[in-house]
Amino acid sequence: MARFYCPAPLAEGLHLSLPAGAARHVQVLRLQPGKAITLFNGQGGEFVATITRMGRSDVDVQIDTHHAVEREAARAVHLLVGITANERMDWLVEKATELGAASITPLVAERSVLKLKGERAEKKAAHWQAVAVAAAEQCGRNRVPTMHPAQTLAEWVQKAPLGERWVLSLAEGLHAVAQVQAPALGQPLTPLTVLSGPEGGLSPAEEAAALAAGFVPVSLGPRVLRAETAPLAALVLCA
């Protein structure tokens, strides 16, 4: 059954017109009245709905039933990732969504190839949010990870969320992510922020600032992973 993100209040028995993005998607798939689809709004669970009308540019549906199903990771992992080249950043956002990231913050690092500010930054943020939405539709998640605005490490620290903080590092003698002990049985998993650099890594000043902000340096092992691969590897190991 085709799945569509519908950022609107949803309830059983409700009749509504789909938002423009979802309506275009339905039309591209050439779905017809009477066809059942799945809708989710990121507020929890998913809804089975039936298409009741297809207009030239709009689609009407009736909400039938709600299923309180969640497919989220056991731990809320927030990625703070150095902005990489265009296609690589798109791929990172897509795969991070599929793997269960709770949120993604593009980091404007000293060595970032792509520099964003002003209107260009706003367009990129909207584009990456759309990538996350499409990935959530495809993979079955009913919650779309939040795409925060691009920011520097100093800006992030000023409004940082609570929880553990790890920074991926190539320094020798560090604990490997895979070896970090899980909480004792019965203890809740605390939220975790994973910081990783862009191509070329974090600068020495940024690494020092991260340590000062409470980030614990951890290793992904002896191999050097690409900037778009490293945070995903950490996400798989700790989510």
Side-chain angles (χ1 to χ4, degrees):
M1 190 182 300
R3 306 180 76 253
F4 304 95
Y5 177 58
C6 183
L10 300 176
E12 293 181 354
L14 182 68
H15 295 260
L16 77 156
S17 295
L18 294 180
R24 284 194 300 273
H25 195 178
V26 168
Q27 291 169 331
V28 167
L29 294 176
R30 299 183 181 276
L31 302 182
Q32 299 299 318
K35 184 70 174 179
I37 60 175
T38 298
L39 301 178
F40 66 100
N41 62 2
Q43 301 303 310
E46 59 192 22
F47 296 80
V48 175
T50 302
I51 299 172
T52 58
R53 188 183 70 86
M54 295 283 292
R56 293 179 63 88
S57 60
D58 57 325
V59 177
D60 293 345
V61 301
Q62 175 180 315
I63 308 297
D64 298 323
T65 56
H66 176 256
H67 299 285
V69 59
E70 293 292 351
R71 304 181 182 95
E72 295 303 293
R75 186 179 206 177
V77 179
H78 306 275
L79 297 183
L80 179 58
V81 292
I83 299 174
T84 59
N86 289 333
E87 297 80 5
R88 293 177 181 176
M89 192 68 184
D90 288 1
W91 185 85
L92 191 161
V93 170
E94 178 183 78
K95 301 312 174 187
T97 300
E98 293 176 9
L99 293 170
S103 73
I104 305 167
T105 303
L107 177 70
V108 181
E110 292 181 25
R111 296 171 178 168
S112 292
V113 175
L114 187 64
K115 303 295 185 181
L116 296 176
K117 60 181 179 180
E119 183 179 353
R120 189 184 184 198
E122 294 176 1
K123 288 182 178 179
K124 274 296 181 184
H127 169 73
W128 288 327
Q129 188 68 65
V131 171
V133 166
E137 290 177 337
Q138 180 274 323
C139 75
R141 286 186 70 176
N142 289 325
R143 298 181 185 272
V144 179
T146 302
M147 281 297 308
H148 294 290
Q151 53 199 279
T152 64
L153 180 58
E155 291 170 333
W156 181 89
V157 168
Q158 291 178 357
K159 47 190 175 183
L162 298 176
E164 293 184 64
R165 301 176 183 179
W166 295 352
V167 55
L168 303 183
S169 175
L170 295 175
E172 297 182 358
L174 300 177
H175 289 295
V177 170
Q179 297 173 337
V180 175
Q181 294 296 318
L185 187 63
Q187 294 298 313
L189 292 168
T190 58
L192 170 67
T193 296
V194 176
L195 167 62
S196 63
E199 297 96 336
L202 298 171
S203 70
E206 288 169 330
E207 286 210 29
L211 298 180
F215 282 88
V216 176
V218 296
S219 168
L220 288 171
R223 293 180 297 279
V224 179
L225 304 184
R226 299 180 73 100
E228 67 272 23
T229 307
L232 299 179
L235 178 58
V236 169
L237 291 168
C238 62

